[in-house]
Amino acid sequence: MNVLVWLAAILFILMIVIGGKKGARSFISLFLNFGVILLITLIMADPNANPIILTIIGCTIISCINLFFINKVNSKTKTALLSTAITIVILLIFINQVTKLTMIQGFGEEEIDELTIFSLYIGVDFVKIAASVIIMSTIGAITDVAISITSPMLEIFNQHPTISRRDLFKSGINIGKDILGSNTNTLFFAFFGGYMALLLWFKDLSYSIGEIVNSKIFGSEMITIFSAGIGIALIVPIASWINAYYLVRTREKKKVK
């Protein structure tokens, strides 16, 4: 416990020294997001609850915390939130179908020994739970990309007030291209870092490459990575178009007045 407190204290100090007030808000947002995820998880245990609706609510709250609480309410955070919402809805429909087709819901055979003492007849829809888990795993990356696009686009617009909507959209796409590769690789290495012990276990069990690829645990995590990558790819044109449309339309309205 003392180690956790010290690590949290070091992180808090570094975030304040480097980020100032925004760094402090970012640190507080970690605990707020954790509270939201914990609350959503507890409610999902109710068989009468709809995991998809809860996921949309949870993602909306987390997005508001990450965007409005940290970066305050302004044009770039508003367009980033709208872009995130549209992307999440598209992803939910897509991932729900992928989960049904690939049948990655539930537990893998590697987890059976630890679950034998528990009852699996808990009355919840594991397909929707699996889709919800994937979405909740990607929401941070999606909001991060959204604000990383809308913020520099606003700066470009302020420096070039007469820029056309098309050129501003192209600028957003070019910014997104640089972000796309780095964020996708971040998700990929986060998977291997978090599941290094699992890969070592596969080696100890003498799993072949085919057995590893076809295992439910490995497959579900790879689908999570690919789904997150799809979400990051989708948010780039969506955020670029919405932000370009909003900024140029606001400029035109001011001219009319």
Side-chain angles (χ1 to χ4, degrees), residues 149-215:
I149 291 174
T150 58
S151 183
M153 282 183 69
L154 178 61
E155 185 63 26
I156 292 171
F157 182 78
N158 290 334
Q159 295 298 323
H160 304 279
T162 58
I163 189 171
S164 66
R165 183 179 298 166
R166 184 175 181 178
D167 289 339
L168 189 58
F169 173 74
K170 286 183 178 179
S171 298
I173 294 294
N174 290 331
I175 294 167
K177 288 179 181 178
D178 295 331
I179 300 171
L180 185 61
S182 60
N183 273 269
T184 305
N185 279 308
T186 300
L187 293 170
F188 179 77
F189 288 116
F191 160 73
F192 278 102
Y195 279 83
M196 185 64 71
L198 176 64
L199 297 175
L200 293 174
W201 189 30
F202 283 152
K203 181 180 180 299
D204 291 338
L205 294 174
S206 300
Y207 271 37
S208 65
I209 297 297
E211 288 174 324
I212 292 175
V213 172
N214 287 288
S215 67

Side-chain angles (χ1 to χ4, degrees), residues 10-162:
I10 293 171
L11 176 61
F12 180 65
I13 292 170
L14 288 174
M15 292 182 79
I16 289 180
V17 171
I18 297 173
K21 292 182 179 179
K22 183 174 288 189
R25 291 196 297 268
S26 300
F27 182 80
I28 295 172
S29 70
L30 294 174
F31 296 94
L32 295 177
N33 289 332
F34 175 75
V36 173
I37 293 174
L38 181 61
L39 180 61
I40 294 298
T41 303
L42 292 175
I43 298 175
M44 276 188 187
D46 183 358
N48 297 318
N50 189 322
I52 300 299
I53 295 177
L54 288 175
T55 300
I56 294 174
I57 295 172
C59 288
T60 302
I61 297 174
I62 291 172
S63 299
C64 289
I65 293 172
N66 292 340
L67 294 172
F68 296 145
F69 180 71
I70 297 176
N71 299 287
K72 298 182 179 180
V73 180
N74 47 56
S75 63
K76 61 185 179 183
T77 53
K78 289 178 181 178
T79 52
L81 179 63
L82 179 59
S83 305
T84 301
I86 293 172
T87 305
I88 289 298
V89 172
I90 295 172
L91 268 184
L92 268 174
I93 297 171
F94 172 75
I95 291 174
N96 192 45
Q97 295 302 315
V98 169
T99 305
K100 289 179 180 178
L101 291 173
T102 56
M103 294 185 291
I104 61 168
Q105 69 275 10
F107 304 95
E109 59 182 11
E110 295 83 5
E111 302 167 298
I112 295 300
D113 291 340
E114 290 79 10
L115 296 169
T116 52
I117 62 173
F118 300 105
S119 172
L120 298 180
Y121 297 100
I122 56 177
V124 296
D125 190 336
F126 276 98
V127 174
K128 293 180 179 179
I129 292 292
S132 299
V133 169
I134 294 174
I135 289 295
M136 295 296 281
S137 301
T138 62
I139 183 62
I142 291 172
T143 54
D144 179 55
V145 173
I147 192 67
S148 296
I149 291 174
T150 58
S151 183
M153 282 183 69
L154 178 61
E155 185 63 26
I156 292 171
F157 182 78
N158 290 334
Q159 295 298 323
H160 304 279
T162 58

Side-chain angles (χ1 to χ4, degrees), residues 197-243:
L198 176 64
L199 297 175
L200 293 174
W201 189 30
F202 283 152
K203 181 180 180 299
D204 291 338
L205 294 174
S206 300
Y207 271 37
S208 65
I209 297 297
E211 288 174 324
I212 292 175
V213 172
N214 287 288
S215 67
K216 180 174 282 190
I217 297 177
F218 185 86
S220 64
E221 290 304 320
M222 290 306 296
I223 288 174
T224 300
I225 293 173
F226 291 143
S227 299
I230 291 170
I232 293 172
L234 282 175
I235 194 71
V236 172
I238 292 174
S240 300
W241 188 87
I242 290 176
N243 201 35

